[in-house]
Amino acid sequence: MFDTLEQARLSELHVTSDPETQLRAIIAIHNTRLGPALGGCRFIEYNSETDALNDVIRLAKGMSYKAALAGVPQGGGKAVILKPKQLNNRTQLFSSFGRFVNTLGGRYITAVDSGSHLNDMEVIAQQTNHVAGTRNDGGDPSPATALGVLEGIRSCVKSLYGRDRLKGVQIAIQGIGNVGYPLAEMLHAEGAQLTVTDIDQARLKQANHQLGATVVEPSEIYRVECDIFAPCGLGAVINDQTLPLLNCKAIAGSANNQLASDHHGALLQKRGILYAPDFIINAGGLIHVSLARRDVDASTIREKTLRIGHTIDTLLERAQAEGKATSDVANTMAEEILFAPSLPDRQNRDRDDKKESAA
């Protein structure tokens, strides 16, 4: 376990169990150089405790990188609650989780994530002030996430075809939930042609009727011939099994940790598939939550979210110039911010270099 923590450069790991409320939760704090760790609370079933641990570590690291490249004053953290197969009382469970968050004294701020909802955040807020995305500070961040993904897709289209208009662009969306459906609505409004999949049949029917989207089975979404494949569900969907099936020119979606392993980024590059790294393109929700709780006005938040497209432009240009996978370049860009020496350290190093040169 400690090797895993050290490889991820994780700074803190906190675990709690409260049998009375069925709470079993893990909070990972990756990096707080830029500010308190901010990241959602994931509430899903896991096959094992090890899976939950690995998930929270990867998610926390992704949040650090996301905050760094989004330019918000936050560190990276994440929480997972292992969802019981038979839940007795949701309110009691999230109340207990709120008390757990409060014990960390503000080093971690929680928010909505897969499986948790706005009402859960309201429950948590009764136990701690260290929660974001409630009705008091702007509410649901999902539309902001979708807006950022839209701008990232626009940048990918511009890189592929030299234009940023989305009319006629073929886009396959995997998952049309809290982020995927608003994204589909925005894309439809811009004239994109949509293919969608989800396990929620009601959502699929809605997308077909309202947006004219073509519906396919979950296993078929990878094979859809399209310009953009947009993963908007859970992570690790680009893996050894799915990568050979891809029939897209670019991947740009809202899901966290889309690559099952780092080497899949290089494999995408080898296949000529452009990849917009998830922790850049899906940062709209983080921007919204971080700035709304600081009472920043909505227009400023929107303007900063729209700049996600500019960040993707910069990334694609640098990756092309360096001949590297976009995932590797994105990691480097974030690490240059998170792990670079502080200003006094750099000054001391420069002074020592000058001394050695003079000698």
Side-chain angles (χ1 to χ4, degrees), residues 206-235:
Q206 184 181 5
N208 176 256
H209 288 175
Q210 294 185 354
L211 310 176
T214 300
V215 174
V216 298
E217 293 294 322
S219 60
E220 293 300 313
I221 195 69
Y222 302 102
R223 295 183 172 89
V224 172
E225 185 176 355
C226 59
D227 299 297
I228 308 289
F229 171 48
C232 295
L234 296 178

Side-chain angles (χ1 to χ4, degrees), residues 143-144 147-148 150-151 154 186 190 284 287-288 291 296-308:
L147 178 62
L150 176 71
E151 292 307 299
R154 201 185 305 280
M186 294 176 188
E190 299 237 0
I287 292 168
H288 172 87
L291 300 186
V296 175
D297 63 274
S299 62
T300 301
I301 294 174
R302 178 180 174 84
E303 181 180 343
K304 194 167 186 64
T305 302
L306 292 175
R307 288 192 61 78
I308 287 174

Side-chain angles (χ1 to χ4, degrees), residues 38 77 105-106 116 119 122 127 130 133 139 166 170 198 209 214 247-248 251 254 259 271 276 297 303 315 348:
L38 173 60
S116 60
N119 287 340
E122 300 293 337
Q127 306 296 328
H130 308 306
L166 301 182
Q170 302 285 332
D198 201 290
H209 288 175
T214 300
N247 199 9
C248 61
I251 298 174
S254 67
L259 305 181
R271 283 199 53 191
D297 63 274
E303 181 180 343
L315 166 73
N348 291 337

